[in-house]
Amino acid sequence: MEFERDESGRRVVTLAPAGWTRFVSAGFLCFWLVGWAAGELFALTMLFSIVGMVFFPETLAAWWPRLKVPTGAGTVWTLGFLGFWLAAWTFGGVMAMLAVGRALRGRDRIAFDGSGIWFTAGVGPFQRARSLERQAIRRIALRRRGGVLVAETGEGTVLLTGMGSLQDRERLRDELKQALGLEGPEGAALAPPDEPPPGWKAARRDDGAESLATDLRARVPGAVAAWLVAAALLATLVAIGGGLASQDAPDAAAVVGAGVVSFMLLGALAGAGWLTFVRDEWLVRRGALEHRRCLAGRVWTRRFDSPVLEIERNVDGEGDEFFHLVVQGAAGRRRIASALRDPVVPRDLGLWIAARTGADLKLPAELKAA
């Protein structure tokens, strides 16, 4: 790995894939893509056959496969399902192709100086560029499986690169920390933030405690999406019901489809209702942490005196990392916040709460380095 300088005087390094494991992942994805191609061809054939037999039966070639096409609402349900499945399946295949290209021929270009970092990642013509200003960067560290290089900001963790060898990324980490003025002793104490991390809001109460809750603005997109999904499922259920009502003998497949859609509709309504009407908040005061759940004027409380906070790191069967901020006390144990792969929000939230309650915060070893 060699450092150069660009026309702006920034130091530049380009990292390429390294290690034999990239061939294993690329080989697996290529094997998966064979099945993907078969599934793509089958779904396209089904879709064109149904559309052709319903709308253009006279234009179908004699050799084109003929299918038994459901009538009425069944046709709408089948076409909608095939269209959604095909879109998701196509997207997954394109992403897999790009992943193969990244594993074999990808390049990450990182330029930096004292004012920030500019990095470009991709393969061939498919490139993604991004920059980070110095004031937005809090730490440079190696994280997750394989020690990928990340930059921690006030908005979360940003992946810089997973290319090159571990030694290359360790050297780049040290060079970035020196250039950005982020050098510090490993294991140094982490300073608590002045404000809760993004997605959380705090307000001072008359009794001196602080009320901590998720930002309502962060809940709006999820609630809107859940209501839209519920509306779409309800419309689908009404269409299927109309088709069943017009049949002398109900079609078994349509009945099963109505049951599946009804089950999904109940789940969507439950999620939408939870995001819209249920509010969780934490009362933060010295020596105590109290959880409050509010719904329709009723409040359920649970108080943790002399609380102990901990960041738990769990890895699922697919290798994804989950970070959970939990509180323990005489009242038991409860999860406060969780994040997939990115420990910044749970950790900073734990630091913020610990500074105000006087609680101990236990961190995994990989999160203690400054």
Side-chain angles (χ1 to χ4, degrees), residues 274 277-281 290-302:
W274 185 276
F277 302 113
V278 176
R279 175 174 172 80
D280 286 305
E281 68 173 348
E290 181 179 321
H291 176 253
R292 295 164 56 91
R293 174 163 291 167
C294 309
L295 173 63
R298 297 192 60 185
V299 179
W300 294 265
T301 63
R302 188 176 178 187

Side-chain angles (χ1 to χ4, degrees), residues 4-272:
E4 302 175 347
R5 290 193 180 274
D6 62 10
E7 60 279 4
S8 301
R10 303 166 183 154
R11 300 191 68 187
V12 180
V13 64
T14 301
L15 298 176
W20 61 270
T21 56
R22 71 185 191 275
F23 296 109
V24 176
S25 60
F28 173 80
L29 286 173
C30 288
F31 177 78
W32 182 86
L33 282 169
V34 173
W36 171 85
E40 188 85 356
L41 180 61
F42 175 78
L44 285 171
T45 302
M46 291 279 291
L47 186 63
F48 286 131
S49 295
I50 294 175
V51 172
M53 293 189 69
V54 172
F55 300 104
F56 314 103
E58 68 283 353
T59 63
L60 286 179
W63 51 266
W64 193 266
R66 260 60 176 177
L67 302 174
K68 183 180 179 181
V69 181
T71 59
T75 302
V76 177
W77 165 256
T78 303
L79 287 176
F81 174 79
L82 274 176
F84 174 80
W85 186 90
L86 190 59
W89 190 249
T90 302
F91 177 78
V94 172
M95 292 298 101
M97 293 177 194
L98 291 177
V100 171
R102 283 276 296 167
L104 300 179
R105 299 293 297 173
R107 295 290 185 273
D108 286 351
R109 181 181 184 274
I110 299 177
F112 60 95
D113 58 20
S115 62
I117 304 174
W118 296 260
F119 51 102
T120 304
V123 56
F126 304 98
Q127 300 289 330
R128 175 179 59 87
R130 188 172 178 181
S131 63
L132 293 173
E133 296 183 356
R134 168 62 185 89
Q135 56 265 32
I137 303 171
R138 298 173 58 186
R139 297 177 187 87
I140 302 292
L142 294 174
R143 292 277 188 267
R144 310 177 194 168
R145 293 175 295 164
V148 298
L149 187 65
V150 301
E152 293 186 8
T153 72
E155 300 297 323
T157 299
V158 178
L159 173 65
L160 296 178
T161 183
M163 295 288 187
S165 65
L166 180 59
Q167 292 74 21
D168 291 338
R169 294 193 295 274
E170 287 176 339
R171 181 185 173 191
L172 179 56
R173 174 199 61 189
D174 296 338
E175 294 285 348
L176 286 171
K177 290 173 70 174
Q178 182 178 5
L180 298 170
L182 294 171
E183 289 186 298
E186 295 297 323
L190 294 166
D194 295 329
E195 299 291 337
W200 292 80
K201 288 291 185 181
R204 177 72 64 176
R205 289 164 48 99
D206 294 337
D207 60 3
E210 289 188 80
S211 173
L212 176 69
T214 53
D215 190 348
L216 291 178
R217 291 174 298 180
R219 295 166 63 100
V220 168
V224 170
W227 284 114
L228 288 176
V229 169
L233 290 171
L234 180 60
T236 303
L237 186 61
V238 170
I240 296 176
L244 288 173
S246 64
Q247 298 175 0
D248 295 332
D251 182 67
V255 172
V256 172
V260 172
V261 174
S262 298
F263 181 78
M264 296 170 62
L265 176 60
L266 290 175
L269 288 173

